Amino acid sequence: MAAVAIPHTALAPDSVRESMEYLKKSYGISDAEALRRLELQADAQSLAEKLGSDASDAYGGMWIDQDNGGRLVVFSTNRPSVDPYVRGMADNAHVDVQLVRHSLQELRAVMSRLNAKSGVDASSVATSIFIPAISMMENRVLLQRRDWIADAKAQGTLAQTTGVPAKLPATAAARAKAVTAELAAGRAAAASEAPGLVEERQLKQPQQYFTPYVDWGYCHPLYCSTAYGPMRGGLRLNIKRDNGTWGGCTSGFNVRSTGGTTYNNWAWVLTAGHCTVGKTNNTYIHHNGYNILKQHAPNPALEVNSFPVDFVMLPYIDASYSQTWLDNFTGKNRVMKYCRNGGQDSDSDTPCGTQATTANQYITGYHSLDQITPGWVACASGTATSTTNYADSYFTGHYDSDNAGYLVGTRCGRVIDPLDGSTIWTDICARPGDSGGPLFSQVDQTAYGILEGSYQTTRTGACYSGEINNYIPISSGAGTYWGVYEYSNNVAGATYRVITSSAG
């Protein structure tokens, strides 16, 4: 079969400068090589789309091996099915085909059967003990078990734990019986598949990056007003706790809902659900003293903390606040890029030089979890602080020294082999106060997700090598229910989407 041409994307170096600097400093490569790798990442997305439509019975996914020369690795059940498309890549000299046993199409069918037999759908995913998911890198399906959900069901505390209204049996004995039955149903579903195709695995709950202290800093991520344009991703959100202290998270993306009669054309700010779930004081959320948002979503289906479902759509206080902070502006699809380097935080993922710079990244689309693969370069913005760095702010760790040397702003890194089948894992540094912040790509101006947390529990101070953090996906992909888009779909008859145009 003749080669099938795959469109090539030529990137302007200035449009991906931070991502290039990350690659250069991390892998000791030239400007030209960094740009080649990012263009390969862009072309790989076109290749994946083509293989998913034309060779779905063979295509098994792909990833970019940045550690070994920035090579694209394509998984396939047979080489002849994908070879013509690989040969049609502009940079086919850096593309390898690796044989696997199962196609993504097969794995999705297995996941769909497990969902059906385990009773997992959009209405139950936040409260189900099991969540099936695909592990592309392992070429299998994971039956992910959430022990903290099982415990909350047995103890009768599910609603308090997740923020999702739940009707549970009245007695402890009945609740324990129901938990046992749910576990048995999920395991029976897994056992009905071919040996080795499904693996039950504990889905641990990451340490969530919510901070218990207010931050009044006045540099861009910590200080902004409508004099500088609209609300955007990457700004500090100050949230009052029920004990009177203040906590903080980071804004992720601007969202617009359409359809239905209740929330049609509403504007929202997307951040992590664990920032707000469980609070009862209903104090307005502010940024730098400006009250902007309500503390809770008006519908419980838009505010959830049940990993991997962890997001909240925060509404503006009323229509006048929405006008003042968003709708009076163009460029509603922006997230903040604030780069500052130097001192204790001069690692490779803060690649902007010694001078503070601020700019906007305009978001024009999104990628679902099943499209985002290891090796892709991405960037994230956050607002964790210490008074050591910002004397006019309050500290955002348990102690003021926790974040000493850690600077607010934007960092770039790479997507890594996921530690679960439900979220996006990266090597980008983060600290308490960054929760809910945006993960995005400069390569094609797309939204990926919002910061959840990490399994690493003892990190403090400036960034260091070996850090990993995970992000809740904007979309978890076809046949799944835990992504922001999938879980919020049709709540009150509306569709909720990250704003991807200037007019928004």
Side-chain angles (χ1 to χ4, degrees), residues 252-253 270-272 310-311 436-439 448-452 470-472:
F253 298 96
L270 175 66
T271 191
D310 184 0
F311 74 91
L439 180 71
Y448 284 6
I450 56 173
L451 180 65
E452 156 74 14
N470 73 318
Y471 294 77
I472 302 300

Side-chain angles (χ1 to χ4, degrees), residues 46-62:
S46 298
L47 176 63
E49 183 177 349
K50 195 68 174 171
L51 292 176
S53 63
D54 294 1
S56 59
D57 57 343
Y59 175 55
M62 63 177 62

Side-chain angles (χ1 to χ4, degrees), residues 43-119:
D43 293 352
Q45 296 167 27
S46 298
L47 176 63
E49 183 177 349
K50 195 68 174 171
L51 292 176
S53 63
D54 294 1
S56 59
D57 57 343
Y59 175 55
M62 63 177 62
W63 68 292
I64 297 178
D65 187 354
Q66 300 287 7
D67 291 323
N68 294 289
R71 302 187 67 85
L72 177 66
V73 180
V74 178
F75 296 140
S76 178
T77 60
N78 68 81
R79 188 179 297 273
S81 294
V82 300
D83 268 348
Y85 302 90
V86 170
R87 285 188 277 114
M89 290 279 285
D91 190 16
N92 57 37
H94 291 92
V95 183
D96 302 313
V97 177
Q98 181 177 326
L99 295 179
V100 293
R101 187 172 181 180
H102 306 287
S103 68
L104 281 178
Q105 182 175 265
E106 293 178 80
L107 297 179
R108 290 181 181 124
V110 172
M111 182 179 67
S112 179
R113 291 195 292 271
L114 292 179
N115 279 329
K117 293 178 181 178
S118 303

Side-chain angles (χ1 to χ4, degrees), residues 131-464:
I131 295 184
I134 292 171
S135 174
M136 182 197 70
M137 297 296 284
E138 297 176 272
N139 197 232
R140 65 174 55 171
V141 176
L142 303 179
L143 184 64
Q144 300 179 120
R145 187 187 72 251
R146 300 188 292 178
D147 291 337
W148 78 91
I149 293 293
D151 292 342
K153 285 187 169 183
Q155 296 164 10
T157 59
L158 187 62
Q160 298 93 313
T161 299
T162 65
V164 179
K167 193 171 184 179
L168 299 174
T171 68
R175 291 194 297 270
K177 183 177 180 180
V179 167
T180 299
E182 186 175 349
L183 289 168
R187 287 165 176 159
S192 68
E193 300 294 339
L197 185 54
V198 179
E199 178 179 310
E200 180 180 333
R201 190 174 297 173
Q202 182 187 22
L203 180 60
K204 298 179 181 179
Q205 188 169 27
Q207 178 188 12
Q208 298 170 331
Y209 283 146
F210 172 69
T211 171
Y213 301 101
V214 68
D215 189 324
W216 288 94
Y218 51 81
C219 62
H220 283 286
L222 308 175
Y223 173 85
C224 197
S225 72
T226 54
Y228 303 104
M231 172 59 68
R232 69 204 71 181
L235 295 183
R236 162 71 70 172
L237 301 177
N238 292 309
I239 306 168
K240 192 173 184 178
R241 301 178 70 199
D242 289 342
N243 65 3
T245 62
W246 286 84
C249 285
T250 301
S251 59
F253 298 96
N254 289 324
V255 169
R256 180 77 68 188
S257 56
T258 57
T261 57
T262 307
Y263 306 132
N264 186 43
N265 201 37
W266 277 39
W268 314 76
V269 173
L270 175 66
T271 191
H274 65 259
C275 299
T276 60
V277 165
K279 292 178 174 59
T280 60
N281 62 82
N282 291 314
T283 303
Y284 293 148
I285 294 172
H286 70 84
H287 171 76
N288 193 49
Y290 297 101
N291 288 332
I292 304 172
L293 305 165
K294 291 184 177 179
Q295 191 179 73
H296 297 288
N299 188 304
L302 299 175
E303 181 176 1
V304 187
N305 177 26
S306 181
F307 180 77
V309 188
D310 184 0
F311 74 91
V312 58
M313 302 278 188
L314 292 172
Y316 288 86
I317 294 171
D318 59 34
S320 67
Y321 286 84
S322 175
Q323 287 290 327
T324 299
W325 280 91
L326 186 71
D327 288 329
N328 286 342
F329 298 93
T330 57
K332 300 179 182 69
N333 57 328
R334 69 184 77 182
V335 297
M336 175 174 286
K337 292 189 302 182
Y338 178 83
C339 290
R340 180 174 173 179
N341 203 357
Q344 301 174 66
D345 210 21
S346 295
D347 67 320
S348 62
D349 66 354
T350 51
C352 305
T354 57
Q355 292 297 111
T357 59
T358 185
N360 294 309
Q361 178 69 59
Y362 291 93
I363 301 300
T364 59
Y366 74 94
H367 282 294
S368 58
L369 177 66
D370 57 351
Q371 296 171 326
I372 300 167
T373 66
W376 282 17
V377 175
C379 301
S381 296
T383 60
T385 57
S386 164
T387 60
T388 302
N389 307 321
Y390 304 96
D392 294 313
S393 71
Y394 292 98
F395 56 90
T396 64
H398 294 290
Y399 304 98
D400 194 14
S401 60
D402 283 355
N403 289 339
Y406 181 86
L407 303 175
V408 303
T410 303
R411 294 169 167 81
C412 299
R414 64 186 173 93
V415 177
I416 64 172
D417 191 358
L419 303 185
D420 59 56
S422 304
T423 57
I424 307 161
W425 288 85
T426 78
D427 64 359
I428 301 174
C429 175
R431 291 290 180 270
D434 290 337
S435 268
L439 180 71
F440 57 93
S441 170
Q442 293 184 298
V443 172
D444 58 355
Q445 302 85 50
T446 47
Y448 284 6
I450 56 173
L451 180 65
E452 156 74 14
S454 178
Y455 290 149
Q456 298 172 324
T457 59
T458 59
R459 296 172 305 171
T460 58
C463 298
Y464 54 84

